[in-house]
Amino acid sequence: MDESRSRTPHPRLVVVGSGMAATRLVEELVARGAHERMAITVLGEEDTAPYNRILLSAVLEGTHRPEALTLRTVRWYAAHGVDLRLGARVLGVDRERKDVMLVDGTLVEYDVLVLATGSIPTLPPIRGLVRREGSLHDAVHAFRSAADCRRLLAALPSSRRAVVVGGGLLGLQVARALGVRGVATEVVEGADHLLHRQIDAPAARILTRELKRLGVAVYAGARAVRLVDGPSGPAMRLDNGFTLDTDLVVLTAGGRPSTALARGAGLEVRRGIVVDDRLASVTDPSVHALGDCAEHDGRTTGHVSPAWDQAGVLAGILCAENATYDGSRVVARLRASDLHVAVLGEPAVEVAAGGEVVEIANPVAGSHRSLVVRDGRIVAATLVGDLSRVGLITQHFDRRTVLGPHEPGGLLLPERAGRAAGALLPDDAEVCACAGVTAGRIRACASLEQARETTRATTGCGGCAGTVRRLLARDEAGHPALATIQKGT
Ligand SMILES: Cc1cc2nc3c(=O)[nH]c(=O)nc-3n(C[C@H](O)[C@H](O)[C@H](O)COP(=O)(O)OP(=O)(O)OC[C@H]3O[C@@H](n4cnc5c(N)ncnc54)[C@H](O)[C@@H]3O)c2cc1C
């Protein structure tokens, strides 16, 4: 089935993928009026309207309804003349003919192609996960898409026990969500402690204890090696001799950039699709890539804030602005009730690069906070158990503020003891790291809805929602209330 090859009056932009990066790109293009100057087509494999993937664990936990995750409705795309096609998996790209082929054989021509294909979950080497005929064992679930989330939710009523394979941020969110749903959950992590890429062993011990208090058991330093079907149902064997009886296995052992299309098209791919500072493939300037699938300056990211930064830059480039991308700083938050973790930058990398560690731990109170400081600047941080200072620390991290020798230690003190205790957040303090929104911009909004719509604050990881609400709170006379950043917001 060939679509018409006749040229439209407008240049044709085809975006493959309808995830978080693609959605932000289209929003940025629409904000620049580009939808009136180009024919934009978005081809998304999933059948759900573009949604906030990072809140899927909140749906699993039951704090958000699935509909609340929708980023933009199908109607919004139609209203802006953007041709959104859902359930449209792209099978191949022909760079000579400049078209892409959908799974049903349809060809879609482009002048400029954007690959925003995200990442795919890693299948850990566990025997028995995949049946002989190639399908996953019925008890095994991935957790990447709305469809995965629906399938897992459907399995909950008949499940009492779960094993989560992978003790990273996603694994802990899923484990906590299952625990909240009343499923006895055990986390298996092959490295010697949880969140081993982000936090050190003492901080992980505190986190492990918190999880145990919340009813989630952790097996760290143990690998899941075999899923067997026993007389009482499935059981996961670990390499330390333990066998965990279970009804569900959730795989959260990481992912890798989805690059098959780019490889097939002959584009340069290392870990991700290699792009330059204009987010163009180094092989073909008419093909761009952004988000989890892209590799810029030797790095792939796997977080939403770089994907959104890239979307803003790429929209500018496609609108002939003089924009370039020079990397992003990442702030990752654990999203789960009663578990407070924030990681800024890459602590291990910065320590290896000569950063000095300033830290305060209080295992009795369940908190561990550390900053990595280089040349007076905070270059990374990990906060476990107490996020009362995350706002100020993030502000200094983002702005690369040069601090005096005693200031990093002061920032780690609990808020009531710190110098800024009770201080009003200044207008230029960044409140939403995902969307780069300051307190002043939130204060200028009349309602949460307006703040969401005009600034996009709270629509990423949602970690800023409490602070945003307080910033918008009005006293009885209608004056803005004071807002400080509080624990766990
Ligand atoms: C459960 C979960 C929780 C997360 N939590 C956080 C968090 O708290 N903070 C954070 O920063 N990041 C988090 N992430 C990571 C974050 O979601 C990603 O970094 C972000 O979604 C990247 O956006 P993207 O558009 O590159 O990829 P995606 O959002 O994954 O979108 C890619 C889209 O492309 C589609 N696609 C792929 N191949 C094709 C094809 N051939 N044809 C058509 N469509 C195709 C896919 O189906 C998908 O819809 C989380 C991820 C998951 C899965």
Side-chain angles (χ1 to χ4, degrees):
M1 226 192 308
D2 260 34
E3 284 197 342
S4 161
R5 297 194 76 86
S6 65
R7 288 192 67 84
T8 59
H10 294 310
R12 294 155 303 181
L13 172 69
V14 172
V15 183
V16 182
S18 58
M20 298 192 72
T23 306
R24 179 52 67 94
L25 175 66
V26 175
E27 288 176 342
E28 294 275 355
L29 288 168
V30 166
R32 288 166 170 82
H35 58 299
E36 286 160 6
R37 302 187 297 272
M38 47 177 96
I40 306 174
T41 303
V42 178
L43 304 169
E45 161 181 44
E46 296 185 64
D47 54 12
T48 316
Y51 59 92
N52 187 341
R53 193 176 302 284
I54 72 183
L55 290 178
L56 283 175
S57 55
V59 172
L60 186 63
E61 188 173 322
T63 57
H64 285 56
R65 286 172 299 109
E67 313 83 75
L69 270 52
T70 302
L71 290 170
R72 292 292 174 185
T73 58
V74 173
R75 195 180 293 174
W76 180 88
Y77 283 83
H80 292 89
V82 176
D83 181 8
L84 169 69
R85 304 191 201 176
L86 298 174
R89 181 173 165 74
V90 174
L91 284 187
V93 176
D94 187 324
R95 291 195 294 117
E96 265 183 28
R97 288 164 44 119
K98 285 199 156 188
D99 62 28
V100 302
M101 184 193 278
L102 304 187
V103 72
D104 64 0
T106 306
L107 295 175
V108 183
E109 292 183 299
Y110 65 83
D111 297 301
V112 177
L113 179 68
V114 175
L115 298 176
T117 48
S119 56
I120 42 180
T122 311
L123 199 61
I126 300 172
R127 289 178 70 188
L129 283 188
V130 181
R131 296 192 189 281
R132 279 221 177 91
E133 76 279 10
S135 63
L136 277 184
H137 187 292
D138 290 342
V140 176
H141 296 254
F143 196 72
R144 168 108 215 134
S145 64
D148 294 338
C149 188
R150 281 196 294 272
R151 184 170 165 252
L152 189 50
L153 279 169
L156 291 187
S158 56
S159 306
R160 285 183 304 114
R161 303 155 304 183
V163 169
V164 174
V165 179
L169 285 168
L170 179 56
L172 300 191
Q173 286 175 187
V174 168
R176 176 68 183 128
L178 292 172
V180 169
R181 293 279 188 174
V183 180
T185 304
E186 300 174 296
V187 177
V188 182
E189 168 56 54
D192 53 4
H193 63 78
L194 293 176
L195 297 183
H196 70 103
R197 288 206 185 89
Q198 287 98 359
I199 67 178
D200 61 11
R205 269 198 294 279
I206 290 172
L207 187 59
T208 302
R209 224 180 46 193
E210 286 300 293
L211 279 160
K212 195 170 165 197
R213 189 177 60 75
L214 294 167
V216 174
V218 175
Y219 296 82
R223 282 179 191 285
V225 287
R226 184 165 198 164
L227 181 64
V228 291
D229 284 310
S232 57
M236 183 64 85
R237 290 203 182 133
L238 310 188
D239 65 356
N240 64 1
F242 279 66
T243 297
L244 312 178
D245 290 333
T246 190
D247 304 309
L248 292 175
V249 175
V250 188
L251 304 177
T252 59
R256 59 189 166 78
S258 169
T259 56
L261 269 188
R263 273 184 207 283
L267 299 172
E268 181 167 343
V269 174
R270 284 184 220 134
R271 184 171 155 74
I273 304 164
V274 183
V275 293
D276 60 19
D277 292 352
R278 292 179 58 75
L279 298 170
S281 157
V282 293
T283 317
D284 181 343
S286 63
V287 181
H288 294 265
L290 81 167
D292 283 3
C293 67
E295 177 174 326
H296 173 264
D297 198 19
R299 284 167 184 250
T300 52
T301 69
H303 286 93
V304 77
S305 52
W308 283 357
D309 288 348
Q310 291 171 357
V313 170
L314 183 53
I317 290 167
L318 296 173
C319 292
E321 291 168 20
N322 194 13
T324 52
Y325 178 73
D326 64 356
S328 301
R329 310 197 95 193
V330 172
V331 178
R333 296 275 288 258
L334 185 71
R335 286 198 48 82
S337 307
D338 305 319
L339 277 181
H340 305 300
V341 179
V343 182
L344 283 60
E346 298 176 283
V349 173
E350 298 297 347
V351 171
E356 288 179 296
V357 178
V358 182
E359 66 183 12
I360 292 184
N362 183 347
V364 182
S367 71
H368 189 290
R369 283 155 286 165
S370 81
L371 306 178
V372 186
V373 179
R374 192 146 39 87
D375 302 326
R377 295 182 174 89
I378 297 171
V379 289
T382 54
L383 306 167
V384 173
D386 180 353
L387 303 189
S388 59
R389 310 306 296 280
V390 69
L392 275 180
I393 293 171
T394 306
Q395 202 181 325
H396 290 308
F397 169 73
D398 283 340
R399 295 181 180 174
R400 300 169 166 88
T401 318
V402 178
L403 301 171
H406 298 292
E407 283 183 282
L411 283 171
L412 292 180
L413 292 173
E415 191 168 19
R416 62 182 172 281
R419 273 195 304 159
L424 184 68
L425 270 182
D427 273 352
D428 59 355
E430 189 171 81
V431 170
C432 172
C434 297
V437 183
T438 59
R441 285 185 64 204
I442 300 292
R443 284 197 183 98
C445 297
S447 65
L448 183 60
E449 288 65 42
Q450 192 190 0
R452 286 174 66 92
E453 186 57 31
T454 58
T455 70
R456 311 301 293 148
T458 76
T459 63
C461 77
C464 63
T467 308
V468 170
R469 261 190 225 102
R470 276 193 297 282
L471 282 165
L472 290 168
R474 299 286 193 269
D475 64 18
E476 281 171 9
H479 298 123
L482 301 184
T484 56
I485 293 184
Q486 316 241 314
K487 177 170 177 165
T489 57

